[in-house]
Amino acid sequence: MNALTVVRAGALTTVQDLGRPGHAHLGVPRSGALDEPAHRLANRLVGNPVEHATLETTLSGCAVRADAAVTVAVTGAPCAVRAGGRPVAWGAPVRVPAGAVLEVGAATAGLRSYVAFAGGVAVPPVLGSRSRDLLSGLGPEPLSDGARLPLGAPSGASAGVDAVPCGALPLGELVLPVVPGPRADWFAPEAVGVLAGGGFRVSSASNRIGLRVDGPGLPRARGGELPSEGLVRGAVQVPPDGRPVVFLADHPTTGGYPVIGVVPGPFLPGAAQSRPGTPIRFVARRG
Amino acid sequence: MSAACGNGIQRVLPVGRHALLVEVATTEEAQALHAELLRRRDAGALPPVREIVPAARTVLLDGLADPRGLAAALPRWDIPPVAAADAPLVVLPVRYDGADLAEVATLWGVSEDEVARVHSGIEFRVAFCGFAPGFGYLTGLPERLHVPRRATPRTSVPAGAVGLAGPYTGVYPRSSPGGWQIVGRTDAALWDPEREPAALLAPGTRVRFEERGRRA
C-alpha cells in the first residue's frame, strides 16, 4: 500500500473530507473541508470520488513524499507546486514519481490549498469521516514532520484538463450576505444597520471553528444568554463583546449567545479563504 | 409562525435558508418534540433532514430542502408528552468522592452521604448533548437541588467526572476544562467512536447513577 511521509507539515495541515454530518445531536461538529468546492475539484482532477480525503493546508503549504508514484492535484489557494524540485502545474493532475518530494508552496492568495492524491488519504475514519475536527479533537492529528499517512488504491482515471477556475478567493473584499434570524430580536434596531454599515475586517483569531470579525460591536437589545440552542454552519453569533463570529465547519453544535443571522453556505468557502485584515461587507438578505 | 399551537410549539423560527429552530416552553416539551421528530423520521414521515438537534427549549432541524413547508405543518402536529419508561435506561456506577462533594452538600444543606443517596435516587433523562462529543445535559434535578457553576472553572476535569451545574447533571466524556461541581466519578465509557451509538448518553436516554462507594 502506498503511503506518504510528511517532509514539512506547514503551519496547520489537516486531513479533510466532506465531514461527519448527522451526529450534531451527540455534540459532534460536522467538520470537513472549509473550501468544499476546492476539495471536490481536487478529488475530481485525480479521478477520486469527492468523498475521498485530501490535505487542507493553511497559508504556508506543506511537503510530502510518496513511497510509490502517485497522481496529485492542488486546488484552493493558488501556490507554487514542485515535484522532485521541478515546477509543476497548480490546478491540474500531476504525476509525482516514487520518492520525489511534492512541495506545496505558500499561498499567493487566499489561505487554504487542497492536495488530492489518487486513492485518497486513507487514515481510519471516525464516525464515517477522516476529517480532523479541531474543536472536539476527532479524526487524525494535524500533520507533523515525519508522520506517515496511508494512501488508498486509485480507482478512476485522472481528468484531462488544462486549467481550472480559481474558485472562492475574494477579490479585495469579502461580501457576506446575511439572512436575518433566528435571534435578530435580541439586538437593538440599529444593529442590522451597523452590520451593513461596514468597517469590518477578518480577524487574525479566525480558525476552522469560525471567522472572527474585527469592527464595530453590534448593540444588543437585551443582555444575558439564551438557553443553549442548536447552531448551523454560517450562523453569525454575537458574544457579549458584540464582535460577530461566522461559524465554519468545526463550530460547536449548541451555544447560548444570540445568532443575528446566517450566511448562506455557498459564501462560506470565500470566508474560509479570506486572510486576516480582509475587509468584510455584510449585506442583509431576505430568507 | 407564532404563539400557542396547542402542541407546545411556541414559534418556528427560520435559520438561514435550510434550517428551522422550533421553540417550546420547557425542556420536557423539547424532549417530546425531539421524540416525535425521531418517530416520524423512522416512519419515513419526515422530509429529509441532516441534523435534528434538541436543546434546552428548542429543537433545530438543519439541512431541509423546504423549511417553509415543514414550518407550516409543524403547528398541526400531535406531540404526545414523553412517557416515563419509553426510552433505554443506562445505569452508571459512581464513586461519590468528587472534589466538590462537600460544597454541594453545603449548598443542598445535607451530609455528603446524603448527596450520594439523593443523586443516585433520581432518574434523569438526557435532554441534549453539547460542549463535547458525548457530553449529555441530564434533567431531573428538582429546582431546590440546582447549584451554580464553580466561580473559577477547573483547567482539567478528568474523564468520567460526574458534575452538577444549574438544572443539569452530567458526566465528562473525556478530560477537559470544566466549571461543573464535581461530586463523583464513573468508569463507564461515555464516548466510544467505535460503538454504535458512539455516545452512551444520547438525547432521550434515561439515566440512573448507582452508588459504588464514597472514598477511594
Side-chain angles (χ1 to χ4, degrees), chain B residues 91-101 112-113 115-117 119-120 158-163 170-171 181-188 208-216:
Chain B
V91 178
L92 298 176
V94 176
R95 183 177 293 280
Y96 284 92
D97 60 358
D100 301 313
L101 187 64
E112 295 182 19
D113 285 339
V115 171
R117 205 187 59 75
H119 189 260
S120 59
V162 179
V171 187
Q181 309 257 15
I182 306 304
V183 295
R185 184 164 180 178
T186 178
D187 291 331
R208 272 187 181 282
F209 296 95
E210 194 172 83
E211 186 175 358
R212 289 283 171 85
R214 275 271 318 279
R215 297 289 174 201

Side-chain angles (χ1 to χ4, degrees), chain B residues 103-138:
Chain B
E103 171 73 11
V104 170
T106 304
L107 289 165
W108 284 8
V110 300
S111 68
E112 295 182 19
D113 285 339
E114 187 70 1
V115 171
R117 205 187 59 75
V118 169
H119 189 260
S120 59
I122 297 171
E123 182 174 299
F124 296 95
R125 187 179 281 261
V126 183
F128 58 97
C129 290
F131 174 64
F135 188 98
Y137 290 74
L138 278 55

Side-chain angles (χ1 to χ4, degrees), chain A residues 22 24-26 30 136 183 228, chain B residues 23 50-52 55 129 134 174:
Chain A
H25 63 291
L26 302 179
R30 193 181 346 159
S136 56
R183 299 298 177 188
S228 279
Chain B
E23 267 190 342
R50 184 170 54 234
E51 311 278 3
I52 302 176
C129 290
R174 59 172 188 207

Side-chain angles (χ1 to χ4, degrees), chain B residues 60-76:
Chain B
L60 174 74
L61 296 151
D62 190 14
L64 293 163
D66 175 24
R68 284 177 193 181
L70 186 58
L74 276 161
R76 296 193 298 271

Side-chain angles (χ1 to χ4, degrees), chain A residues 22-78:
Chain A
H23 300 92
H25 63 291
L26 302 179
V28 177
R30 193 181 346 159
S31 193
L34 288 182
D35 186 347
E36 193 180 300
H39 160 89
R40 289 172 178 268
L41 177 62
N43 268 329
R44 284 203 301 273
L45 288 172
V46 299
N48 285 346
V50 295
E51 297 80 15
H52 274 20
T54 62
L55 298 181
E56 179 183 277
T57 68
T58 312
L59 199 59
S60 64
C62 70
V64 296
R65 184 172 52 231
D67 296 348
V70 61
T71 300
V72 308
V74 182
T75 63

Side-chain angles (χ1 to χ4, degrees), chain A residues 74-80 90 105-113 166 169 273 275:
Chain A
V74 182
T75 63
C79 59
W90 176 95
T108 55
L111 274 180
R112 294 173 166 103
S113 302
C166 233
L169 304 184
Q273 290 288 14
R275 295 183 172 192

